[in-house]
Amino acid sequence: MAIRCFLGALLVGFYDQHWGATSAAPSISSCGSPTDIFKHVSMAVSPDPVERGTPFTITVTGDLGTDLTSGTVSWDIDAKVSVFGHSVVDKASKQSSPFTLTPGARAGPSKLVVGPITLPGEVPGSADISGKVIVADGTGAQVACVALEFHLVLGQANTAPLPEALGAPQGVTSCGKSGDHMQGVTFGTVGGVTTVSGTLDEDVSEMSFHAALELHTGIFPVPISLSVPVSYSPGLQKGDVMAKVGPTQGASESDGAIPTVTGDITWTDANKQEIACISVGPSADSTIVV
């Protein structure tokens, strides 16, 4: 699915704003077939390749033939990410995960615009991410296929390796407030199935995500500050919302030490009012309710 692929691409960007593309292939493109449920698909990054210091935007459009409330996401991805010459991700993953969405993605014309985004320049690094992500519905019919082809090369920087910092198990808790537009937020993982739910008190189509994070790759944490505007049509409907993902199946091989990430991500609406807030940190054993 386009949103999932964007999140993978964005994580690449966290590590590098001083890159040069080594491939003429599009960074993101459709690899779907004429029989896909998501038709007339257009996927683009502008500019592509992303230029140093230049904001970029990802746009995905298409027509969803039916409502999508459940299915499976499958991915076959190779990823290598280095920070200051220190390998933090070296992973080949061929896996799949079922999902359930309430109320789900509505049938009809859809448009997702993410950006413009200016990547943080505090963390020089490099990354190679390539592969495919396929979304199928609850019957197994293919909804869409997304191809990723990122080859990002670092400019001049000090590449002396940092002391290794192994990633601790990551957990997510709520940092929401009583006046947030999403209430009754819950997070929980049981038997490999992660469930997130809450109740929206407004329709949402224009939004932003603000990240204030620290990347722990060595002795000193590296701050990452990023704001990501998002426009989605037909939008998210007022009322109860729920996403359930897992359990993940398949093979995954990793040679790098995944870094620890801590901090907050705040979700705001078009009026800059907070919808919800999550904190990323040490893994928690209990379900969080706010």
Side-chain angles (χ1 to χ4, degrees), residues 196-280:
V196 181
S197 63
T199 302
L200 273 172
D201 67 4
E202 62 175 355
D203 294 337
V204 180
S205 58
E206 303 285 338
M207 64 200 87
S208 293
F209 296 88
H210 309 278
L213 305 171
E214 287 188 336
L215 177 68
H216 301 265
T217 62
I219 298 175
F220 302 106
V222 179
I224 297 174
S225 179
L226 186 69
S227 291
V228 181
V230 176
S231 172
Y232 170 58
S233 175
L236 305 176
Q237 294 177 286
K238 174 181 178 180
D240 293 337
V241 296
M242 184 271 292
K244 183 180 294 186
V245 181
T248 299
Q249 298 179 337
S252 179
E253 298 180 359
S254 179
D255 294 327
I258 304 299
T260 299
V261 177
T262 60
D264 295 342
I265 300 174
T266 305
W267 177 20
T268 60
D269 64 13
N271 297 319
K272 299 183 179 180
Q273 297 177 349
E274 186 168 300
I275 298 173
C277 176
I278 62 171
S279 292
V280 181

Side-chain angles (χ1 to χ4, degrees), residues 8 26 47 72 90 104 134-135 150 168 230 237 273:
T72 302
D90 188 353
I134 297 175
V135 181
F150 286 92
V230 176
Q237 294 177 286
Q273 297 177 349

Side-chain angles (χ1 to χ4, degrees), residues 99-172:
F99 66 87
T100 302
L101 304 173
T102 302
R106 286 178 280 173
S110 299
K111 184 175 183 179
L112 174 70
V113 179
V114 181
I117 305 166
T118 300
L119 298 175
E122 300 91 342
V123 189
S126 64
D128 290 278
I129 294 184
S130 61
K132 294 181 179 180
V133 178
I134 297 175
V135 181
D137 69 5
T139 70
Q142 183 166 302
V143 176
C145 176
V146 182
L148 292 173
E149 197 63 46
F150 286 92
H151 300 286
L152 315 180
V153 180
L154 175 67
Q156 296 297 320
N158 178 13
T159 57
L162 296 173
E164 185 169 295
L166 295 178
Q170 297 283 196
V172 177

